[in-house]
Amino acid sequence: MSAIFSDEWMRSFMEQWNAETELTSALADISFSSNIGYGFPDDDQPSGVLVVQNGSATSAGAYNGEELNWDIRASEQQWQKWIATPPGMMGLGTAFASGKMKFKVGDYGAMLKDPRMAGPFIKSFSVMARA
């Protein structure tokens, strides 16, 4: 298994993302397009980036200065825990409220209030588990 958020891991995540029609279709329905960074709280920049256009991932890899719409951070231990057992809405809410998950860019609260985005966000964790 590649190191989480490495170039290779991010490409595998992209393949799994695009294979999950429940995720891509839901995001296509709302014309979701974003650059999503993933990483660790103490790093200056995210480790990996996933580029999503109309719900489908069009590129992924090591972060290389792309402008981000979302920048999601958690400790490596926390990411590994979520990959082993993907969280639900309650688990993610608790992680955000307790500071275990941080958004350096993006509005977590607004996303949670929109079920069209919250459901796919939760689904993305089960997709990570297959990367």
Side-chain angles (χ1 to χ4, degrees):
M1 182 174 152
S2 301
I4 188 170
F5 308 135
S6 68
D7 195 60
E8 182 180 350
W9 191 93
M10 290 302 297
R11 286 193 308 272
S12 177
F13 180 40
M14 177 179 79
E15 289 174 20
Q16 295 302 321
W17 179 289
N18 288 334
E20 183 58 64
T21 56
E22 190 177 321
L23 177 61
T24 58
S25 296
L27 292 174
D29 287 347
I30 60 170
S31 301
F32 180 85
S33 296
S34 287
N35 293 351
I36 308 167
Y38 297 91
F40 309 107
D42 296 332
D43 293 347
D44 291 336
Q45 60 189 26
S47 299
V49 64
L50 182 74
V51 178
V52 178
Q53 297 294 322
N54 254 355
S56 294
T58 57
S59 69
Y63 178 73
N64 194 29
E66 296 87 350
E67 185 174 332
L68 299 172
N69 304 97
W70 300 92
D71 183 355
I72 308 165
R73 307 293 184 96
S75 69
E76 185 167 2
Q77 178 182 3
Q78 186 64 56
W79 283 117
Q80 295 295 353
K81 180 179 174 186
W82 287 327
I83 287 170
T85 307
M89 183 67 77
M90 179 83 74
L92 288 177
T94 301
F96 180 74
S98 68
K100 289 182 180 178
M101 173 186 281
K102 297 180 187 324
F103 282 72
K104 292 210 172 194
V105 177
D107 185 348
Y108 181 75
M111 183 258 303
L112 280 186
K113 291 176 186 168
D114 185 346
R116 300 171 310 159
M117 288 181 64
F121 180 63
I122 291 166
K123 186 70 172 176
S124 72
F125 286 87
S126 62
V127 171
M128 276 184 186
R130 298 191 303 259

